[in-house]
Amino acid sequence: GAGVSQSPSNKVTEKGKDVELRCDPISGHTALYWYRQSLGQGLEFLIYFQGNSAPDKSGLPSDRFSAERTGGSVSTLTIQRTQQEDSAVYLCASSFTGGTGELFFGEGSRLTVL
Amino acid sequence: GIQVEQSPPDLILQEGANSTLRCNFSDSVNNLQWFHQNPWGQLINLFYIPSGTKQNGRLSATTVATERYSLLYISSSQTTDSGVYFCAVVDSGAGSYQLTFGKGTKLSVIP
């Protein structure tokens, strides 16, 4: 597609359930990022994928969070046993080259944990 | 890690007024971007400007990398300019790739 595509756009779940969020980056972009934005806050880095290299998971807040990127393209962010503090907008971005390249963001997935 | 400070945190403008938003960063960078987050939460790319000056319509930006700051100019503001403006940088340390965001400037343009 022309831009970064994320799904679902909105997700409401009950505390303790698992959720999966999907990101389809811009075609040809090798770098993919996940960020989180809590209500009224700035953007918090979660994880970074670059080509076939091992991902940088240093921003994941707990071991309930995991992410994978299949075939160097689509990425899935999984949150297990969701908690209310996980409620946020999860934003995915992609870049042609990583660090020095321009990042483009998707519209985000808004997660609400009841 | 690198620190990014944006000012002012809040700004209210009358439609038609001009404004300048500032971004200071604590270390040398090889990537600097300005984004506009609209009321629906979408992050829209404004400028990719690690150095120099760029203009796009009523908006322009200047980054003085040696002095570690960037400025975003908005001229003849419109109500559609309302939202939060973020500055984000990648420090130029070897292998760096993480975009670090400032806390943003919330702009409200009133008719």
Side-chain angles (χ1 to χ4, degrees):
Chain A
V4 178
S5 177
Q6 292 188 244
S7 62
S9 54
N10 280 287
K11 176 72 175 179
V12 180
T13 191
E14 293 180 348
K15 178 181 173 181
K17 301 284 190 182
D18 297 351
V19 297
E20 285 190 351
L21 308 176
R22 176 189 167 104
C23 173
D24 198 346
I26 293 171
S27 178
H29 281 193
T30 60
L32 187 147
Y33 302 73
W34 284 97
Y35 281 80
R36 177 170 74 173
Q37 187 176 29
S38 301
L39 186 63
Q41 301 299 308
L43 278 80
E44 173 190 8
F45 168 79
L46 296 179
I47 189 169
Y48 168 77
F49 295 91
Q50 172 59 281
N52 295 320
S53 302
D56 175 0
K57 305 179 182 180
S58 61
L60 295 179
S62 78
D63 59 8
R64 296 185 295 103
F65 288 72
S66 63
E68 63 176 19
R69 188 178 185 192
T70 55
S73 182
V74 172
S75 176
T76 302
L77 178 68
T78 302
I79 309 172
Q80 296 179 309
R81 305 182 301 284
T82 52
Q83 304 295 311
Q84 288 185 333
E85 61 262 28
D86 300 335
S87 296
V89 177
Y90 290 82
L91 290 153
C92 177
S94 71
S95 168
F96 186 64
T97 60
T100 58
E102 186 174 3
L103 270 70
F104 295 88
F105 281 82
E107 295 187 359
S109 292
R110 182 176 299 276
L111 174 65
T112 303
V113 182
L114 301 177
Chain B
I2 194 167
Q3 305 296 312
V4 182
E5 294 185 2
Q6 292 187 242
S7 59
D10 295 278
L11 184 60
I12 300 175
L13 293 178
Q14 198 78 38
E15 195 170 23
N18 303 328
S19 63
T20 301
L21 281 58
R22 186 175 181 104
C23 172
N24 291 335
F25 41 95
S26 61
D27 214 335
S28 57
V29 301
N30 57 18
N31 183 350
L32 188 147
Q33 291 185 238
W34 282 97
F35 297 91
H36 174 215
Q37 188 166 44
N38 63 24
W40 297 269
Q42 173 78 45
L43 274 172
I44 298 166
N45 289 39
L46 296 179
F47 294 102
Y48 169 73
I49 187 166
S51 65
T53 297
K54 291 185 177 180
Q55 181 160 5
N56 184 4
R58 296 181 296 104
L59 274 60
S60 64
T62 295
T63 297
V64 184
T66 52
E67 297 186 20
R68 300 183 182 169
Y69 73 88
S70 183
L71 302 173
L72 177 68
Y73 305 95
I74 305 175
S75 64
S76 304
S77 58
Q78 301 176 357
T79 56
T80 52
D81 295 332
S82 296
V84 182
Y85 289 80
F86 287 105
C87 169
V89 303
V90 176
D91 78 59
S92 59
S96 293
Y97 44 76
Q98 186 180 133
L99 202 62
T100 300
F101 282 76
K103 294 185 177 181
T105 292
K106 184 177 180 181
L107 175 64
S108 301
V109 181
I110 55 177

